[in-house]
Amino acid sequence: MGASSINIVIGGEAGQGLVTVGEFLSRALVRAGYAIVVTQDYQSRIRGGHNTFAIRVDSETVAAPTEGIDLLVALSTDTLAIHKNQLTDRALVLADAAHGLGGLPGLAIPYKELCPKPLYENMAALGVLGELLCLDPAFLTRLVVEKFGKKGEDVVAANRQVFAAAADWTRAQKASFACLAPPAARGKRVMLHGNEAIALGGMAAGIDFCSFYPMTPGTSVIQTYIDHADRMGIVCEQAEDEIAAVIMALGASYAGARPMVSTSGGGFALMVEGVSLSGMLETPVTIVVAQRPGPATGLPTRTEQADLDLVLHAGHGEFPRAIFAPGSIEQCFHLTHRAVDTAERFQSPVFILTDQFLADSYRDVAPFDLDALPVVSRALTTVPDPAGYVRYAVTEDGVSPRLVPGFCEATVVLDSDEHTPDGHITEDLAVRVTMQDKRMRKLSGLAQAALPPDVYGDPDGATLFACWGSTLGAALEAAEALSEKGEKAAVLHFSQVWPFAPDAFLPTLRKARRAVMVEGNFAGQLARLIRRETGYAFDGRVNRYDGLPLTAAYILERL
């Protein structure tokens, strides 16, 4: 996996167009049939500050980012100083001739000669990159037409002219860099990042209402809904704050909508009372928490996996919930679909834990098979006996008949205080025990429906990397690297972190020669949760909390 990969890093200041270069090149590579993993690293500034857009590309498959840089595109002078120590033996630097290469091997690009305006420098950089990678220029020039076609033929022609001039200039330099190997035949692929896939999974599950207050890195989930709102019939509402956003979602859910809320840790902290309200009202809501380093504002544009404890325990009192943690773009889509169904089936809050790395990481994926998706549970719109309808009827599994008001003559009563089965407020303590027992019986059903962790490789006598969420790719590559050295290795990946059934994974852990938990946080939150619930203690932990995503090299260095 990734043995022949090339890591391209485009560095510069915010506002210099590095994302434009990165997205153009990424999309062209995917259309040409290549596998990619994108890592975006950016500072919390509108302009200035050093940012990077890294594309790891391979002709077959690639699962995670890497640290060595093979092609460094320096759009600012800071880029060379910051990344020169990451250059591999075959590395080539592409820098502005006006700034020079600083003694590093590479090409000094005469942007002033190639570009009529500085605005076109990113197009010149694409021309150079395409030529060095031996990428068919048609894949890039078609994107130019798609991107700038609405601005008129003159704009398209000017961009294509700069692109061609840069490619011609590169050929004349006779630079030595290995072309990309021909891509493997893998069928049609599309390019998505994690938050887009989450939104698409929600759409496939029937999400038709989303309320939010913008907060990086969760906002692009909602932005994807907004982009498709008219076509898909989705109501998108920006609230005055996160408290209002979650309450709006509960109101919409009560009225029969399928809501989703997207935020990050700091925004979710404000939503906690609403989460508890969902537990008491037994009203479903799906909440995406895109993690970033805290506490407080922390590093608002970097990545971490430190909100598991927060999401698991958020809300006063006790009530059932489920937490999913996708590790790939495909899981972002399918687990979101499952999360919406879980919320509807068990009438409870359900969470999707992602993070900045996965949220912003473009990958190549096969188109999703919508026809193969299971049917999502729905609330009732009628009941046989409207006059005798009881919203919170006591049942064996704790799930009561949920009726959408206004579709039949039944009256739907609910209350945020403790209530009787028919929804009216009560302070009868015996009723309190009955109703709390009813609600908490849903935990058993949630546990029975929980996804077991995925096992990659044979854990018997192996070094077993346990992980959750976005650490999957790095763990897989670390295990592969150990296997190539003759050491048996496997991976255990949790895509659902609550609730879990210990019988589904404890035998796997006990087969391993040593089990190491890999997490993007300081405390080892999932490792501690597993020990609390099962008594099982991992042989070791690898933790990262500097704001950067885990890589195979990072894991192996600390093993």
Side-chain angles (χ1 to χ4, degrees):
M1 182 187 300
S4 59
S5 67
I6 294 174
N7 192 34
I8 306 159
V9 174
I10 305 156
E13 295 183 1
Q16 283 194 296
L18 64 94
V19 173
T20 300
V21 177
E23 288 187 0
F24 262 67
L25 183 58
S26 299
R27 203 168 297 279
L29 289 166
V30 171
R31 291 186 181 184
Y34 291 98
I36 65 165
V37 168
V38 166
T39 308
Q40 297 192 56
D41 183 78
Y42 47 94
Q43 296 187 18
S44 52
R45 303 182 187 182
I46 302 298
R47 294 190 67 85
H50 188 262
N51 301 341
T52 61
F53 191 107
I55 309 165
R56 191 177 180 197
V57 56
D58 196 278
S59 59
E60 294 185 1
T61 183
V62 62
T66 189
E67 295 171 10
I69 299 173
D70 302 307
L71 273 175
L72 178 62
V73 183
L75 299 181
S76 71
T77 53
D78 291 341
T79 303
L80 299 179
I82 292 171
H83 297 289
K84 64 181 181 181
N85 292 332
Q86 294 175 256
L87 298 176
T88 63
D89 293 339
R90 63 172 174 173
L92 208 61
V93 174
L94 311 181
D96 191 338
H99 302 146
L101 294 168
L104 298 171
L107 295 175
I109 305 171
Y111 285 118
K112 288 185 179 180
E113 297 176 18
L114 297 171
C115 306
K117 298 178 183 178
L119 180 67
Y120 293 97
E121 289 181 4
N122 49 22
M123 195 55 55
L126 277 170
V128 176
L129 281 167
E131 188 63 30
L132 288 173
L133 296 170
C134 306
L135 183 64
D136 184 342
F139 289 111
L140 285 161
T141 54
R142 279 198 291 267
L143 286 168
V144 172
V145 176
E146 292 175 18
K147 176 76 172 178
F148 302 114
K150 291 182 180 179
K151 296 183 178 182
E153 285 297 324
D154 290 344
V155 174
V156 171
N159 277 278
R160 294 184 71 164
Q161 185 176 353
V162 171
F163 177 89
D168 291 342
W169 176 86
T170 307
R171 280 193 294 274
Q173 308 312 303
K174 296 183 173 57
S176 176
F177 192 82
C179 294
L180 285 168
R186 297 180 303 146
K188 184 178 180 181
R189 311 291 284 183
V190 294
M191 188 177 97
L192 295 172
H193 60 58
N195 278 0
E196 287 174 327
I198 286 172
L200 291 174
M203 290 181 211
I207 291 293
D208 52 12
F209 181 89
C210 55
S211 48
F212 68 102
Y213 186 83
M215 190 171 190
T216 303
T219 308
S220 55
V221 173
I222 303 299
Q223 186 59 56
T224 305
Y225 282 122
I226 292 170
D227 291 343
H228 301 283
D230 291 342
R231 182 180 178 188
M232 300 299 295
I234 303 170
V235 175
C236 300
E237 183 68 26
Q238 179 171 335
E240 61 267 32
D241 56 34
E242 287 88 351
I243 301 170
V246 72
I247 299 301
M248 283 181 181
L250 292 177
S253 184
Y254 170 71
R258 284 183 180 165
M260 178 174 284
V261 178
S262 180
T263 186
S264 188
F268 179 69
L270 294 173
M271 295 181 180
V272 168
E273 187 174 5
V275 173
S276 187
L277 178 61
S278 169
M280 177 56 86
L281 298 182
E282 300 185 55
T283 298
V285 62
T286 305
I287 301 175
V288 179
V289 180
Q291 300 167 99
R292 67 191 207 187
T297 307
L299 296 172
T301 60
R302 301 307 204 281
T303 199
E304 202 159 277
Q305 290 182 302
D307 291 342
L308 173 56
D309 284 349
L310 168 66
V311 171
L312 178 60
H313 300 292
H316 48 291
E318 299 168 303
F319 51 93
R321 73 192 74 196
I323 308 172
F324 296 93
S328 67
I329 303 300
E330 291 86 351
Q331 286 186 356
C332 284
F333 177 85
H334 289 289
L335 289 179
T336 300
H337 188 275
R338 188 182 185 95
V340 175
D341 178 60
T342 301
E344 295 282 332
R345 283 175 59 197
F346 293 96
Q347 303 171 24
S348 64
V350 173
F351 303 92
I352 301 164
L353 274 178
T354 183
D355 51 59
Q356 179 271 323
F357 163 58
L358 187 57
D360 292 332
S361 182
Y362 287 105
R363 315 280 178 96
D364 63 290
V365 295
F368 302 118
D369 184 357
L370 301 183
D371 294 332
L373 294 172
V375 176
V376 175
S377 301
R378 282 195 175 278
L380 303 172
T381 54
T382 186
V383 289
D385 178 18
Y389 173 68
V390 177
R391 168 63 185 95
Y392 298 109
V394 177
T395 61
E396 289 187 8
D397 62 3
V399 179
S400 304
R402 175 175 165 249
L403 181 67
V404 179
F407 284 84
C408 69
E409 294 180 359
T411 302
V412 182
V413 181
L414 72 166
D415 200 290
S416 63
D417 288 57
E418 188 56 271
H419 41 257
T420 57
D422 61 4
H424 291 284
I425 187 172
T426 183
E427 292 198 23
D428 185 315
L429 303 187
V431 172
R432 156 65 182 183
V433 171
T434 297
M435 296 307 294
Q436 182 67 347
D437 285 347
K438 181 203 87 75
R439 288 189 292 267
M440 297 306 288
R441 277 200 292 275
K442 290 189 281 188
L443 269 176
S444 177
L446 284 166
Q448 290 175 15
L451 288 170
D454 294 313
V455 181
Y456 300 86
D458 181 5
D460 193 7
T463 292
L464 180 67
F465 295 112
C467 60
W468 60 280
S470 69
T471 57
L472 172 61
L476 287 173
E477 291 199 352
E480 183 179 30
L482 285 184
S483 298
E484 289 173 353
K485 294 178 180 179
E487 181 176 342
K488 194 173 181 182
V491 172
L492 180 71
H493 177 254
F494 289 81
S495 61
Q496 181 169 349
V497 291
W498 187 261
F500 44 67
D503 290 345
F505 60 85
L506 284 179
T508 301
L509 288 170
R510 289 169 178 151
K511 287 180 183 177
R513 178 173 60 85
R514 59 173 174 174
V516 179
M517 176 61 83
V518 179
E519 299 190 56
N521 56 54
F522 170 81
Q525 293 182 17
L526 183 58
R528 292 194 309 181
L529 178 61
I530 289 173
R531 183 166 187 174
R532 187 188 80 184
E533 295 296 316
T534 70
Y536 181 86
F538 285 87
D539 298 309
R541 298 203 321 249
V542 173
N543 298 89
R544 185 165 199 173
Y545 44 92
D546 59 0
L548 299 177
L550 280 148
T551 64
Y554 187 96
I555 294 169
L556 295 173
E557 285 170 5
R558 288 154 180 80
L559 188 54

